[in-house]
Amino acid sequence: MSTESAKKRKTKVIRSDGGAAEKEVRKGRGDADQETKSYSEEAEVDARDPAKDYDLYKKTCEDLQRLMAEIHELKSKGGKDASAEIDERRIQSCIHFMTLKKLNRLAHIRLKKGRDQTHEAKQKVDALHLQLQNLLYEVMHLQKEITKCLEFKSKHEEIDLVNVDEFYKDAPLEISKPTFTMNDPHQQTLSRLDWELEQRKRLAEKYKESLANKEKILKDIEIKKEYLSSLQPRLNTIMQASLPVQEYLSMPFDQAHKQYEIARHLPPPLYVLYVQANSYGQACDKNLTVAIDGDVEEAKALARPPEDSQDDESDSDAEEEQATTKRRRPTLGLQLDDKRREMLKRHPLSVTLDLKYKDGSVLHLYFYYLMNLNIMTVKTKVTTATEMSIAISAGDLLSPASLLSCLYPGDHGKKTPNPANHYQFDKVGILTFSDYIGELGHPYVWVQKLGGLHFPKDQPQKFVMADNSLSASHMETTIKLLRVRLQSRLALQKQFASLEHSIVPISSECLHLFPVKIISRLIKWCAISYEDYVALPFTKHVIEADMAQETDLFFSAFIERGTAKLHVAIVLNPGYSTIPPIFSICLNWKGEKSSRNDDNLMAIESEVNVCFKELLGPKPGHQLLTNQIQRLCMCLDVYLETETHDNSVEGPKEFPREKMCLRLVRGPNRIKPFKYNHPQGFFTHR
């Protein structure tokens, strides 16, 4: 077919507005009239099978590839007849392109139809979904209305009406109407409400009468307040005028009133201590004085609740502090130091107890309260009436760390008695509370009990309430122990001053315990440490028996007679003289002897340590220590004088027998007589 004929057969397509209809007009060769045909490709799409169109598309593509290959081959060969064959194959290729274009249009129409159908189905689904949502909303609205109706409560249900029996008993018949309301709950409720209204009207009238009476009473109160306010200046004038009389009669009412006002701002443990100590002083001990010291305004600020203005100021301060922190952040060490100081903070007020003695000495006790740890501490100070000679060995007797140690057995005051404090210390890195005792004071257990605090060890509690009964039960015993403790320490201080000068002071009441002549004498007296005491070989039996603790006081003494020298190690318990001292001895004469290798030295230790009650002297027994030392001197004389003399040595005896003994030795151990009998003046065995 030629190109001209192909151009003549070219169809003209006329599309409708929707782009789906086409019209094809062709001219006939033979007939004069033109035959025009109109058709729609959309209708053709419905009639055609997509699978067959796909097969036609593949076949057409294969034919096109084949024709292109043939045209390429003909062009490469060249020849006279090649151009005609190439034109013919080109025409065939154009026909195949027309077929592809038709298939493309049909594919687009199918795609458009599929989209239209999908859109219509989607619109239907959306419409149905909207209807479903509307129905669900209506269901939810109806459910809410039903719930409101079910949960509706009438106001009368909130009114506490009288019960039915009282209603029919008290209400008049015109309100109760029992014939109508007995069997009708609704009418019964209405009648009960009418009766409630009637009662409330009566009560309202009584309320108005009470208000009128109240106003009248308030006016009377205001008149009396004005009278009392005018009376206060007059009373102040009278109190000021009576101050000389109060001082003369030793009745300081004004000062006591001021102290009571300050006591209102004490924390509970210090308040309990103040009340109980003051009560005990007034009732049993006139030489006990109780006072409150500290900054009262700061204590008031602690108890005062923060106000809004203060909150605003604190907010501004916090913002400034935050800005400063952004510029310079504190190190972790500084933060821990701040937390430690805050945790160990004391209350601004403290309670002072002054125990006065007959000789004019005063024991000052300063009690503090650590707010965050919920414990109490105490510091001490001693004031003597006359200036005493200070002995070197008496340095720890009146020191704050030793004076009140072990007032009760085992209470050394180096650890906090509150078990909850250990968990608080772990948070801020405090290893031991003893590092802060010098600054804060000693937290003795008896101090907590005087403040009414008791800490159970099996159940640690951060906050324990102060108990008045606990403080009252321990007050008398503790005050007596404090008095005895200071008296014994003052007596020891005087005795140590004499012992350091090699003088053993014996009171006149105790002279009968010893013979008139004792030749052995004390040559040295000094204080030693616990480590020095443990290092001595003749004290091991005391250490092994656990009779010497680090909280005790340790001393060393030397007693001499001739060539014999007795070394004495002494353990002095803080509870002296209730708890006697313990003596250990070692004799350097003809070798080194101690209680472990010499039965007589063991007997001498027994005379001093076991038979100490004979040496107590007059109560309260403060002469016990010096009497024990004097007995050691006496026993050393007996020991040396009763030793057998070596006849091979010429000359007089080194230790002539001056003590009268009924029997020199007794028993297989050859024990010597160390017991002195007064007034006979001889020595016997026990």
Side-chain angles (χ1 to χ4, degrees):
M1 296 175 65
S2 62
T3 306
E4 289 81 1
S5 61
K7 290 180 179 179
K8 289 178 182 179
R9 287 197 303 272
K10 188 175 182 180
T11 59
K12 183 178 181 181
V13 180
I14 301 173
R15 301 194 179 190
S16 62
D17 295 338
E22 295 182 357
K23 293 182 180 180
E24 183 181 315
V25 180
R26 294 183 179 180
K27 293 182 180 181
R29 292 182 179 179
D31 298 339
D33 55 344
Q34 299 177 351
E35 182 181 1
T36 304
K37 292 183 179 180
S38 177
Y39 72 95
S40 173
E41 284 187 348
E42 293 183 358
E44 186 178 359
V45 165
D46 296 335
R48 292 174 68 99
D49 187 4
K52 291 181 179 180
D53 287 345
Y54 178 66
D55 294 336
L56 179 60
Y57 164 73
K58 291 196 293 182
K59 184 176 180 305
T60 303
C61 291
E62 292 174 357
D63 293 341
L64 272 174
Q65 290 177 357
R66 180 179 53 78
L67 289 172
M68 291 299 158
E70 291 176 356
I71 291 171
H72 178 68
E73 185 179 356
L74 290 173
K75 282 185 178 183
S76 61
K77 288 181 178 181
K80 296 179 180 181
D81 298 332
S83 61
E85 292 180 1
I86 289 172
D87 290 339
E88 183 178 358
R89 285 171 173 76
R90 189 177 292 167
I91 291 170
Q92 291 177 2
S93 298
C94 290
I95 292 172
H96 286 311
F97 275 118
M98 294 295 292
T99 303
L100 289 176
K101 289 177 70 177
K102 182 176 181 64
L103 291 174
N104 185 36
R105 287 197 304 274
L106 293 176
H108 280 289
I109 291 171
R110 285 194 184 97
L111 179 61
K112 182 177 180 301
K113 276 194 170 186
R115 287 178 177 173
D116 293 341
Q117 290 174 359
T118 303
H119 183 67
E120 289 177 2
K122 183 179 178 182
Q123 285 183 339
K124 289 181 181 179
V125 171
D126 290 342
L128 293 174
H129 186 265
L130 181 61
Q131 291 179 3
L132 176 62
Q133 293 295 326
N134 292 336
L135 290 174
L136 290 176
Y137 179 77
E138 290 182 6
V139 169
M140 183 176 65
H141 177 70
L142 292 174
Q143 287 178 347
K144 286 183 178 179
E145 293 298 325
I146 292 170
T147 304
K148 285 182 181 179
C149 293
L150 292 175
E151 293 180 352
F152 173 77
K153 290 184 179 180
S154 178
K155 287 291 183 182
H156 79 277
E157 295 181 2
E158 301 176 359
I159 302 174
D160 188 12
L161 299 176
V162 297
N163 57 45
V164 178
D165 296 335
E166 292 182 3
F167 167 68
Y168 285 113
K169 181 180 178 181
D170 299 335
L173 293 177
E174 58 270 13
I175 294 178
S176 62
K177 300 176 183 177
T179 56
F180 298 100
T181 59
M182 281 288 190
N183 300 322
D184 191 349
H186 177 66
Q187 291 295 332
Q188 187 184 73
T189 303
L190 292 177
S191 300
R192 291 173 67 190
L193 288 172
D194 290 338
W195 175 237
E196 184 71 21
L197 177 62
E198 183 68 23
Q199 286 181 316
R200 293 196 177 194
K201 287 180 179 179
R202 296 176 184 174
L203 292 175
E205 293 178 358
K206 291 182 179 179
Y207 175 69
K208 290 180 181 179
E209 294 177 0
S210 300
L211 282 179
N213 293 332
K214 179 183 175 182
E215 293 294 332
K216 183 178 179 181
I217 294 171
L218 287 175
K219 289 180 179 179
D220 295 340
I221 291 174
E222 290 296 329
I223 294 172
K224 293 179 180 179
K225 280 184 177 180
E226 291 178 0
Y227 172 74
L228 292 175
S229 60
S230 63
L231 187 62
Q232 184 64 34
R234 300 179 184 177
L235 293 176
N236 292 335
T237 305
I238 295 173
M239 289 296 293
Q240 290 295 328
S242 65
L243 287 178
V245 179
Q246 295 180 27
E247 294 178 0
Y248 180 76
L249 297 177
S250 299
M251 302 171 67
F253 296 113
D254 188 58
Q255 184 180 358
H257 178 71
K258 291 179 180 179
Q259 289 284 304
Y260 288 142
E261 288 295 323
I262 299 174
R264 295 169 51 195
H265 306 288
L266 287 172
L270 290 181
Y271 182 79
V272 169
L273 171 64
Y274 174 78
V275 172
Q276 295 298 331
N278 200 12
S279 302
Y280 177 77
Q282 293 177 5
C284 305
D285 193 344
K286 300 300 181 182
N287 293 322
L288 173 63
T289 306
V290 186
I292 302 174
D293 298 323
D295 191 346
V296 181
E297 296 301 325
E298 187 177 352
K300 291 180 180 178
L302 285 176
R304 188 184 302 121
E307 300 177 355
D308 295 337
S309 59
Q310 294 177 350
D311 292 340
D312 297 337
E313 292 176 1
S314 62
D315 292 340
S316 61
D317 293 340
E319 292 175 359
E320 293 177 1
E321 184 179 356
Q322 186 176 4
T324 307
T325 306
K326 289 181 179 178
R327 292 193 297 269
R328 183 183 63 192
R329 291 184 177 274
T331 62
L332 182 60
L334 293 176
Q335 291 178 354
L336 283 176
D337 289 341
D338 294 339
K339 290 181 179 178
R340 292 188 192 112
R341 282 194 293 270
E342 182 64 25
M343 182 167 290
L344 300 174
K345 187 177 181 181
R346 296 190 305 203
H347 194 274
L349 294 180
S350 62
V351 175
T352 303
L353 268 63
D354 293 338
L355 294 175
K356 298 179 182 178
Y357 294 80
K358 294 180 179 179
D359 60 353
S361 302
V362 181
L363 173 62
H364 306 279
L365 300 172
Y366 306 98
F367 293 89
Y368 303 96
Y369 177 66
L370 305 185
M371 297 181 289
N372 294 318
L373 300 181
N374 192 31
I375 59 174
M376 290 174 59
T377 60
V378 64
K379 287 186 175 183
T380 60
K381 181 182 177 183
V382 178
T383 304
T384 56
T386 58
E387 187 174 352
M388 301 177 63
S389 58
I390 301 175
I392 299 175
S393 58
D396 293 336
L397 288 179
L398 298 180
S399 65
S402 171
L403 180 59
L404 302 182
S405 178
C406 297
L407 189 66
Y408 288 89
D411 189 7
H412 51 74
K414 293 182 179 180
K415 296 181 180 179
T416 172
N418 188 354
N421 294 158
H422 299 292
Y423 303 100
Q424 296 175 275
F425 292 161
D426 292 340
K427 292 182 180 179
V428 296
I430 296 177
L431 299 178
T432 174
F433 186 74
S434 59
D435 297 337
Y436 303 90
I437 284 178
E439 177 185 357
L440 302 175
H442 290 77
Y444 297 109
V445 176
W446 60 267
V447 175
Q448 318 306 319
K449 291 182 179 180
L450 289 185
L453 298 177
H454 174 66
F455 301 99
K457 295 183 178 180
D458 53 345
Q459 297 178 351
Q461 299 178 8
K462 186 175 181 182
F463 294 104
V464 178
M465 300 300 293
D467 186 6
N468 275 286
S469 59
L470 179 64
S471 175
S473 62
H474 287 79
M475 182 63 65
E476 184 176 3
T477 305
T478 304
I479 295 297
K480 290 181 179 179
L481 288 175
L482 288 170
R483 289 192 175 279
V484 172
R485 174 61 61 87
L486 183 60
Q487 288 175 352
S488 64
R489 291 299 172 91
L490 292 175
L492 283 174
Q493 193 170 23
K494 295 178 181 178
Q495 294 171 18
F496 287 177
S498 299
L499 292 174
E500 287 185 357
H501 291 85
S502 301
I503 300 173
V504 181
I506 304 297
S507 63
S508 58
E509 295 88 351
C510 301
L511 289 175
H512 67 281
L513 299 174
F514 312 102
V516 177
K517 186 177 181 180
I518 297 178
I519 302 175
S520 298
R521 62 186 182 89
L522 178 70
I523 61 172
K524 185 179 179 182
W525 172 269
C526 63
I528 59 174
S529 64
Y530 174 73
E531 291 76 13
D532 296 336
Y533 181 84
V534 173
L536 295 174
F538 57 91
T539 61
K540 290 183 179 179
H541 61 289
V542 179
I543 302 297
E544 292 172 357
D546 198 22
M547 301 178 69
Q549 307 295 332
E550 292 187 19
T551 54
D552 297 336
L553 301 175
F554 301 92
F555 301 93
S556 174
F558 288 91
I559 300 174
E560 186 181 56
R561 180 179 177 182
T563 59
K565 183 180 289 186
L566 185 67
H567 186 188
V568 185
I570 303 156
V571 180
L572 190 66
N573 191 281
Y576 174 87
S577 59
T578 304
I579 301 175
I582 298 175
F583 286 72
S584 302
I585 59 176
C586 175
L587 179 62
N588 291 316
W589 182 63
K590 295 181 181 180
E592 187 172 303
K593 304 175 185 178
S594 67
S595 59
R596 292 201 168 190
N597 54 23
D598 191 321
D599 293 335
N600 282 294
L601 292 181
M602 183 183 293
I604 293 175
E605 284 188 1
S606 177
E607 283 291 326
V608 178
N609 295 329
V610 178
C611 305
F612 67 92
K613 293 184 179 179
E614 303 171 359
L615 306 174
L616 286 174
K619 291 186 178 181
H622 296 324
Q623 298 292 326
L624 174 61
L625 177 65
T626 54
N627 289 342
Q628 286 177 306
I629 296 174
Q630 188 72 354
R631 174 168 281 188
L632 272 179
C633 296
M634 178 188 74
C635 291
L636 180 60
D637 281 350
V638 174
Y639 180 90
L640 296 174
E641 291 176 10
T642 55
E643 280 291 306
T644 57
H645 179 67
D646 189 1
N647 296 323
S648 62
V649 179
E650 296 181 358
K653 290 184 179 181
E654 182 181 3
F655 306 111
R657 189 173 298 168
E658 297 183 0
K659 307 293 187 296
M660 185 171 60
C661 303
L662 296 182
R663 187 177 180 183
L664 295 182
V665 293
R666 187 181 69 178
N669 294 333
R670 312 294 288 175
I671 302 300
K672 301 179 180 183
F674 295 112
K675 180 182 178 182
Y676 178 70
N677 293 272
H678 177 79
Q680 292 85 0
F682 56 83
F683 288 85
T684 60
H685 293 86
R686 287 192 181 273

